[in-house]
């Protein structure tokens, strides 16, 4: 089931996210988040943007949300998208289901451009974005440093 996020989901979301913080280059965060950090994230983002979860048997297997792309007023119709899956739930099309719903909500809210920022390499995320018609528009080399190595970041864009 896909539904809007609830504040009570914070612990499950932080557990999903912290796996990536501690074990992967997918996020450049390197300090685990707390439940309070995710409470704040949920409260802040869900006030203005879609923030959804995929739940099965009372367990959250993934989440997706949109957030501000940049601060200036001229960017107000552009958002950045985020999707994370429980590391044991990959390969089950949950990311596809979440992105389908998220993009539909953003289109209904008259957003014009969706931007996805990806640490590279990340074949699964590249495939997910391109499946929905996102096109790569930027590739920044060695802009992040995690786990003692320099990492690239790419940006994919979808015009709704």
């Amino acid at each position: 089931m896909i539904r809007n996020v609830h504040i009570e989901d914070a612990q499950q979301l932080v557990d999903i996210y912290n796996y990536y913080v501690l074990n992967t280059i997918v996020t450049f965060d390197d300090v685990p988040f707390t439940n309070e950090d995710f409470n704040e994230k949920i409260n802040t983002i869900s006030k203005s943007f879609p923030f959804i979860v995929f739940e099965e048997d009372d367990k959250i297997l993934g989440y997706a949300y949109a957030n501000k792309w940049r601060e200036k007023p001229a960017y107000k119709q552009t958002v950045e998208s985020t999707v994370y899956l429980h590391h044991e739930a990959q390969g089950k099309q949950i990311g596809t289901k979440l992105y389908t719903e998220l993009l539909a909500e953003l289109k209904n809210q008259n957003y014009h451009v969706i931007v996805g920022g990806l640490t590279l390499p990340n074949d699964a995320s590249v495939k997910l974005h391109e499946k929905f018609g996102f096109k790569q528009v930027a590739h920044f080399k060695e802009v992040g440093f995690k786990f003692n190595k320099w990492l690239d970041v790419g940006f994919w864009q979808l015009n709704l």
Side-chain angles (χ1 to χ4, degrees), residues 66-81:
N67 205 354
K68 232 180 246 186
W69 164 241
R70 307 241 357 225
E71 290 295 324
K72 308 259 189 244
Y75 295 117
K76 68 183 174 194
Q77 296 309 118
T78 299
V79 294
E80 185 168 5
S81 60

Side-chain angles (χ1 to χ4, degrees), residues 19-45:
Y19 172 84
Y20 293 96
V21 171
L22 295 170
N23 299 292
T24 77
I25 60 167
V26 171
T27 176
F28 284 176
D29 284 315
D30 57 5
V31 174
F33 278 46
T34 65
N35 194 28
E36 292 75 28
D37 294 330
F38 254 81
N39 283 338
E40 183 177 332
K41 182 183 285 281
I42 290 168
N43 284 329
T44 302
I45 293 171

Side-chain angles (χ1 to χ4, degrees), residues 6 67 113 118-119 144:
H6 302 139
N67 205 354
V113 174
L118 317 175
T119 304

